[in-house]
Amino acid sequence: MVIAPSLLASDFGRFAAEAARADRSGAEWLHLDIMDGHFVPNISFGPEVVRAVRGHFSRFLDVHLMCDQPEILIEPFVRAGSDGLTVHVELHERVTPLLWKIRSLGKKVGLAINPPTNISEVKPYLSKIDLLLIMTVNPGFGGQSFIEECVPKVQQAALWRQQEGLRYRIEVDGGINDITARECARAGADTFVSGTALFKQAQLGAAVRRMRRLVESESGRLPIPC
Ligand code: DX5
Ligand code: ZN
């Protein structure tokens, strides 16, 4: 199980210190939300912020590109120190070359799906990815409420993974707290992005450990077919 605090909920005036706090918390990954003001109605930060935090977080930097034109951004984000890059399935026929590009640069390959998009859209790509990111809010802002209707997608993704002998991680992102993380773990998720519920805690390490303990207590249960 991987816990990935999202930098979007950190103090934007102190990115380096916040990344260092995430590092000390023991979180396996740090999640970085890249928003371009087109694909989503918000702007966050670019490669230079990733470069700035790279020196302060020693493990996996998980870069989530909520952008209309990842084609021009993948290389800058790789040069800045990203370990994995995720693009959205809503980019349709551009997805295959984007996944190939990330792979060719030697980084972990992620594919994300928004709440309104049918889970069948990701099926053709499952053998080509390391990570399937199932959005559990409409992307663009932190602090939104978890959308329960996304849980069956996690169950379906876990079932396909088992049936086809694949190894992609199943990541959930949006409104993840101790309760919704457990629910997603029961459905088959193994990677948990959490902004507000983690970064807003004074004791980030304790919050990470608690979330990890809760989701690990659900592991070993079989996903329920939907
Ligand atoms: C939403 C982002 C999320 C966000 C989650 O568009 O993709 O990663 O940081 O924030 P919380 O956990 O506050 O919902
Ligand atoms: Zn995200």
Side-chain angles (χ1 to χ4, degrees):
M1 296 288 185
V2 165
I3 306 296
S6 172
L7 197 70
L8 194 68
S10 74
D11 178 347
F12 270 39
R14 305 172 68 244
F15 278 136
E18 292 286 71
R21 187 159 76 98
D23 197 55
R24 288 194 302 276
S25 79
E28 292 83 357
W29 291 11
L30 182 63
H31 186 81
L32 300 148
D33 286 305
I34 313 304
M35 303 177 180
D36 67 348
H38 293 274
F39 188 82
V40 289
N42 196 6
I43 295 177
S44 59
F45 43 76
E48 289 314 313
V49 170
V50 176
R51 191 185 307 282
V53 302
R54 176 67 287 181
H56 301 273
F57 189 80
S58 56
R59 293 175 293 277
F60 192 93
L61 291 184
D62 177 33
V63 172
H64 176 191
L65 295 173
M66 285 163 274
C67 304
D68 262 352
Q69 279 198 281
E71 289 84 355
I72 60 169
L73 294 171
I74 288 171
E75 285 183 18
F77 276 103
V78 166
R79 281 198 300 273
S82 311
D83 294 302
L85 291 105
T86 294
V87 295
H88 271 261
V89 75
E90 290 79 12
L91 297 172
H92 302 295
E93 70 283 354
R94 290 156 56 207
V95 169
T96 297
L98 287 167
L99 300 182
W100 182 86
K101 173 126 187 151
I102 299 167
R103 179 76 70 208
S104 73
L105 293 168
K107 300 301 163 188
K108 294 289 184 195
V109 179
L111 183 65
I113 178 168
N114 282 338
T117 306
N118 195 289
I119 189 69
S120 62
E121 297 286 321
V122 302
K123 189 130 197 269
Y125 306 107
L126 295 179
S127 63
K128 301 177 181 67
I129 61 174
D130 300 304
L131 173 79
L132 179 64
L133 191 173
I134 297 178
M135 287 303 305
T136 45
V137 298
N138 286 305
F141 299 91
Q144 303 181 73
S145 298
F146 181 80
I147 300 174
E148 289 288 338
E149 288 74 11
C150 298
V151 175
K153 287 182 173 176
V154 177
Q155 294 171 332
Q156 183 64 73
L159 190 65
W160 282 334
R161 181 172 62 180
Q162 187 190 43
Q163 285 173 342
E164 300 183 21
L166 296 171
R167 299 173 62 86
Y168 53 85
R169 303 196 72 88
I170 300 175
E171 182 176 55
V172 284
D173 181 8
I176 298 297
N177 55 34
D178 287 348
I179 295 164
T180 55
R182 258 186 110 165
E183 184 180 354
C184 290
R186 270 198 297 277
D190 49 51
T191 305
F192 303 85
V193 175
S194 179
T196 309
L198 293 181
F199 259 113
K200 302 295 185 204
Q201 303 288 328
Q203 302 296 324
L204 181 58
V208 166
R209 284 191 295 278
R210 185 172 60 244
M211 187 175 285
R212 190 187 293 117
R213 195 171 58 243
L214 288 170
V215 296
E216 284 180 350
S217 72
E218 299 295 338
S219 71
R221 299 189 190 207
L222 287 174
I224 311 141
C226 57

